[in-house]
Amino acid sequence: MNRMKLADCKYSVVLMALLLGMVACAQQKVSDPIRLNQIGFYPTVQKIAVVITDTENEFYISTPDLKGKLFSGKLSEVRSSPYSSKRTRIADFSAFTKEGNYVLVVPNIGNSYPFEIKNKVFDNVTKASIKSYYFQRASTSLPEQYAGKWKRNAGHPDDTVLIHGSAASDKRPEGFVISSSRGWYDAGDYNKYIVNSGITMGTLLSAYEDFSVYFDKLNLNIPESKNEVPDLLDEVVWNLRWMLTMQDPNDGGVYHKCTNATFDGMVMPDFTTLPRYAVQKGTAATLDFAAVTAQASRVYRTFEKQFPGLADSCLRAAVDAWQWALKNSNVKYNQQDINKNFNPNIATGAYDDSYFKDEFSWAASELYITTKDDAYYQSVMRYNEAKLIIPSWASVHALGEYSLLRFNSSLTPLGQKDFDSRKSKLLILTNNLLQDIDKSIYETVMGQSKSDFVWGSNAVCANQGVALLYAYQMSGDLKYVKAAHGNLDYLLGRNGTGYSFVTGCGDKTPMHPHHRPSQADGVFYPIPGLLVGGSNPGMQDKCWYRTSVADEAYVDDVCSFASNETAINWNAPFVYLVGAIEAIQLQNEKMK
C-alpha cells in the first residue's frame, strides 16, 4: 500500500500545515532492505546507504521516475551483525554532488525511499524538532494559527496544585495550594518532572550558547515569534517559568515533580480533571534546578529588555537551591517509601536518582561560569569524575564539562588551568566511540555496543552525536562531525528498523507513538518533530514485538511505551545534533 509522505518536515509558515505529497512512482518497489537517511544529504558530505544483502551487486542513483543512471558504484564487502544473522553491504555515493531529488537503486532488490541532495537539507527537521516543544506546552491552548491541524484546548492550568504530604513543611503544610502553571508535558504523559527538565533545559540552552548565530534566525511560528527573542529561547522560557514555581521560597528546596497521583488515560489534556500535587523536595531535583537557572541567568541576561529581572531571579534561585542542596546533600526520591507514609499514593514517573556527585558537579560548574566565584570551582573539582560518559537524566556530569570547555577563555585562572585535562577526557570518550566505526553493520557510532540499546536508545544515539560535536569544537577535526552525521543518519533511517524515528520526517516514520495528544486528537498524523525512544530489547511494556534482536526491537504501536514513547529529554539532544550540524555546515560553506 502506498504511503503519504510528510515532505521533509516542511511546514507552511502561516498555518503550520504539513505539505503532503505522494511517494514518487507508486508502481516502484520501495525496498525495506535499503536503509538511508530519508531526508537527504548535503552536496559535499559523505552519503551512504546500507543494503541488507549477502550478494555482490552494483547500485546506482536515479531520479524518482527511474529514468537513467546518474551515478553508479559497487556495494562494499559484507559486514556481519553482532546481534543477529543479518549481513549488510555499504553503498557509498559521496562523489555524487548534484542537487535534486533521487532514489538509490539496487538491481534485483529495489529502490530506496526518495531523498534530497541540497544545502540546508536539515533546516526544516531542526525547526520541527524544536516546534515539538510548543505542542508539549501545558496550561495553554494551541490555536490553529500556530498548531495547524493539531490545535487543541488548554489543559492542566496548574493554578491550584496541592502540596503532597511528602513535601509538607511548616510554612507549606499538606494541602497547601501553590500555582505551578506553564511548563512542558514530560513525555507521552501529562506530568512535569524537574529532573527530566534539567537535562532537557541544559541541552537546549547549550545548543543556543554554542550556535546562537544559527538559532537566532529560526522562525518556528509560535505565538512569540514576532518579538525580539530567538524562538528557541521563547520556547525554553515557557518551561523555565514553570521550573521557578517549583522552588519553595522559604528554604530554596525544589519539589521533584508536579503530577497527578496516577497517569491520565489516553485523552486530550483538557479532558483531565485529576488533582495535581507537588511531591517531595529532593537533592537531584534541587541541583538540576540550580544548574539550569544558573545557565539561564547568563543566557537571558542578553535579553534583559524583553525579560526584565528574569536573569537576576534565576541567579538568586540557583544560589538558594545550591545552599539547600549543601544542607540536604542526600535526599533521595524513593516513591515506594513515599507511598508507605503518605496519601495519595503516587504512581507516575519516578526519576529516582540516588547518586548526586554528578548533579553537584554540574550545578557548581554552571554557577561558577555565571558568577566567576572560585568557591564554586572548588566544588566542581571536589565532585569531579575521573572520566566522561554520555549524559542521561541520571548522569549529568558531562553537561558541566561541556559548559566549562565552552567558556574556558572567560574563566578565572583557577578554572582555566584544567582545560587540557578536561579536553583530554572528552577526546578519550569520543575517540573510543570512533573505534571500528568502519566495520560496524550500519557504519555508525550508534549500535557498536549492545549497551546502546536501552530504554530511550535514540537519546543515547543523539547524545553520542552531541559529544562528537563538542570534540569537533575543541579540536577542529572534521572526523567528529562526520561521525555525528552518521548518528543523525541512523535516527533518520539508516538503522536496524528502517524507520526514520522522528514523527513526520521521512517516509517510514512512527504513526502510533505512545503520546496522548497524538493518540486522542483524532488527527491521522501524529504531532510532528517528536523523537521516539527506539530499539529496546528490554521490552518492558510487554507489547508484541516482531523480534527481540537488540537493534531491531521496536514496534510502532501506542502500546509500546518502552520503544515508541516520546520524551522531552530525548528530543533535546536531537535538537542539538541536527541544529549544530546545520550550523557547522553553513559555517564551513561560508569559509570556502
Side-chain angles (χ1 to χ4, degrees):
M1 180 173 132
N2 195 38
R3 290 179 54 99
M4 298 290 285
K5 180 177 182 180
L6 308 186
D8 192 19
C9 306
K10 292 180 180 176
Y11 302 89
S12 164
V13 174
V14 177
L15 299 178
M16 288 301 291
L18 290 176
L19 301 178
L20 301 177
M22 297 301 293
V23 174
C25 300
Q27 76 277 10
Q28 298 173 28
K29 178 185 177 185
V30 175
S31 178
D32 187 64
I34 303 175
R35 310 281 173 80
L36 48 60
N37 185 321
Q38 294 173 26
I39 302 301
F41 306 89
Y42 301 115
T44 58
V45 303
Q46 183 187 53
K47 307 174 195 69
I48 66 173
V50 170
V51 184
I52 301 171
T53 182
D54 280 331
T55 307
E56 290 187 25
N57 211 334
E58 71 165 6
F59 70 90
Y60 63 90
I61 303 298
S62 178
T63 51
D65 59 10
L66 298 184
K67 292 183 178 179
K69 295 182 181 181
L70 304 174
F71 177 89
S72 62
K74 293 284 188 181
L75 297 180
S76 73
E77 295 298 315
V78 165
R79 301 183 184 188
S80 297
S81 170
Y83 311 119
S84 69
S85 59
K86 184 181 294 180
R87 290 156 69 83
T88 67
R89 295 175 184 266
I90 304 297
D92 189 331
F93 54 105
S94 303
F96 184 70
T97 62
K98 184 178 179 180
E99 295 191 20
N101 294 292
Y102 305 103
V103 294
L104 184 143
V105 182
V106 181
N108 301 317
I109 291 180
N111 57 270
S112 71
Y113 291 111
F115 60 88
E116 286 188 274
I117 296 177
K118 67 176 185 179
N119 289 313
K120 299 183 69 175
V121 69
F122 301 121
D123 193 54
N124 288 311
V125 182
T126 305
K127 292 175 183 177
S129 64
I130 303 172
K131 180 69 179 273
S132 72
Y133 287 95
Y134 172 73
F135 292 107
Q136 294 293 97
R137 287 190 185 186
S139 313
T140 187
S141 62
L142 306 184
E144 186 174 5
Q145 178 182 359
Y146 306 108
K149 65 182 70 179
W150 299 281
K151 63 184 179 181
R152 61 169 170 81
N153 296 326
H156 302 94
D158 288 339
D159 51 359
T160 55
V161 174
L162 305 174
I163 297 295
H164 189 258
S166 62
S169 62
D170 289 342
K171 294 185 177 180
R172 287 185 164 188
E174 183 177 359
F176 186 86
V177 175
I178 66 170
S179 179
S180 190
S181 62
R182 302 195 186 194
W184 297 317
Y185 297 130
D186 178 72
D189 63 287
Y190 291 137
N191 302 301
K192 302 184 290 190
Y193 308 85
I194 287 290
V195 167
N196 212 37
S197 275
I199 187 170
T200 302
M201 295 283 279
T203 303
L204 293 174
L205 288 168
S206 294
Y208 182 78
E209 288 190 314
D210 284 328
F211 300 101
S212 60
V213 173
Y214 174 72
F215 287 108
D216 280 345
K217 298 177 182 178
L218 293 185
N219 186 322
L220 305 179
N221 187 38
I222 58 177
E224 302 83 1
S225 287
K226 293 183 180 180
N227 68 14
E228 298 177 355
V229 179
D231 280 4
L232 173 61
L233 296 187
D234 275 323
E235 193 54 58
V236 165
V237 85
W238 187 267
N239 200 63
L240 177 64
R241 292 198 185 280
W242 164 69
M243 292 183 74
L244 290 168
T245 72
M246 292 290 283
Q247 184 175 46
D248 186 342
N250 300 297
D251 61 14
V254 178
Y255 304 113
H256 192 77
K257 57 181 174 177
C258 174
T259 181
N260 301 346
T262 59
F263 287 112
D264 288 307
M266 284 290 176
V267 297
M268 293 300 287
D270 59 308
F271 281 91
T272 68
T273 58
L274 295 173
R276 304 277 272 184
Y277 299 92
V279 185
Q280 186 194 301
K281 299 168 192 171
T283 304
T286 301
L287 287 169
D288 286 344
F289 173 96
V292 167
T293 50
Q295 186 176 15
S297 176
R298 63 177 182 262
V299 171
Y300 288 96
R301 182 76 62 187
T302 305
F303 302 94
E304 181 66 26
K305 177 182 176 182
Q306 293 82 8
F307 301 113
L310 179 60
D312 289 335
S313 295
C314 284
L315 186 54
R316 285 194 299 270
V319 172
D320 289 347
W322 175 259
Q323 292 299 322
W324 186 93
L326 290 178
K327 298 172 186 174
N328 301 271
S329 60
N330 195 35
V331 181
K332 302 174 183 178
Y333 184 84
N334 187 314
Q335 200 153 275
Q336 185 175 9
D337 287 349
I338 287 173
N339 290 339
K340 289 178 182 177
N341 296 294
F342 303 100
N343 288 313
N345 282 2
I346 303 297
T348 53
Y351 292 107
D352 51 349
D353 193 5
S354 60
Y355 176 82
F356 308 124
K357 191 174 179 181
D358 54 312
E359 284 86 3
F360 271 109
S361 174
W362 180 32
S365 297
E366 302 297 352
L367 277 160
Y368 167 62
I369 294 165
T370 300
T371 66
K372 304 299 189 294
D373 185 340
D374 282 345
Y376 288 118
Y377 191 75
Q378 291 168 356
S379 292
V380 170
M381 298 311 293
R382 184 179 309 122
Y383 297 108
N384 191 36
E385 302 277 7
K387 65 178 183 178
L388 214 57
I389 62 173
I390 297 299
S392 65
W393 65 261
S395 180
V396 293
H397 171 68
L399 301 184
E401 294 291 283
Y402 294 163
S403 289
L404 290 166
L405 286 167
R406 178 187 314 125
F407 285 101
N408 181 71
S409 62
S410 64
L411 301 180
T412 67
L414 184 64
Q416 288 182 341
K417 68 180 176 59
D418 296 311
F419 174 77
D420 288 341
S421 62
R422 185 164 286 118
K423 176 181 174 182
S424 177
K425 285 197 297 185
L426 172 65
L427 295 183
I428 288 171
L429 167 65
T430 51
N431 288 338
N432 284 338
L433 292 176
L434 296 181
Q435 287 185 1
D436 297 326
I437 189 173
D438 58 343
K439 300 176 184 176
S440 70
I441 183 174
Y442 292 103
E443 198 160 316
T444 57
V445 164
M446 176 62 184
Q448 292 195 66
S449 169
K450 190 174 182 179
S451 64
D452 289 346
F453 297 106
V454 294
W455 198 328
S457 63
N458 284 339
V460 174
C461 177
N463 274 306
Q464 289 173 341
V466 172
L468 290 162
L469 292 173
Y470 274 109
Y472 164 72
Q473 292 176 76
M474 292 301 107
S475 69
D477 193 330
L478 285 169
K479 71 180 181 183
Y480 299 112
V481 178
K482 179 181 176 182
H485 205 304
N487 271 24
L488 179 59
D489 285 356
Y490 173 96
L491 294 172
L492 295 175
R494 200 173 93 207
N495 58 60
T497 71
Y499 275 87
S500 168
F501 285 119
V502 183
T503 56
C505 296
D507 286 282
K508 184 180 179 181
T509 65
M511 293 295 292
H512 309 286
H514 185 90
H515 181 250
R516 280 162 175 77
S518 293
Q519 174 70 8
D521 62 9
V523 179
F524 179 74
Y525 290 102
I527 286 168
L530 298 167
L531 180 71
V532 300
S535 300
N536 176 15
M539 300 183 290
Q540 293 88 345
D541 47 40
K542 309 302 180 185
C543 297
W544 181 87
Y545 287 68
R546 183 181 60 82
T547 177
S548 61
V549 172
D551 61 341
E552 301 175 49
Y554 167 78
V555 57
D556 181 19
D557 192 315
V558 68
C559 162
S560 183
F561 55 80
S563 77
N564 207 36
E565 190 170 10
T566 69
I568 57 173
N569 66 308
W570 299 344
N571 252 73
F574 182 78
V575 168
Y576 188 108
L577 175 62
V578 67
I581 284 175
E582 270 289 298
I584 290 168
Q585 183 69 16
L586 286 170
Q587 291 171 1
N588 290 341
E589 287 296 323
K590 288 179 181 179
M591 292 172 62
K592 288 182 179 179

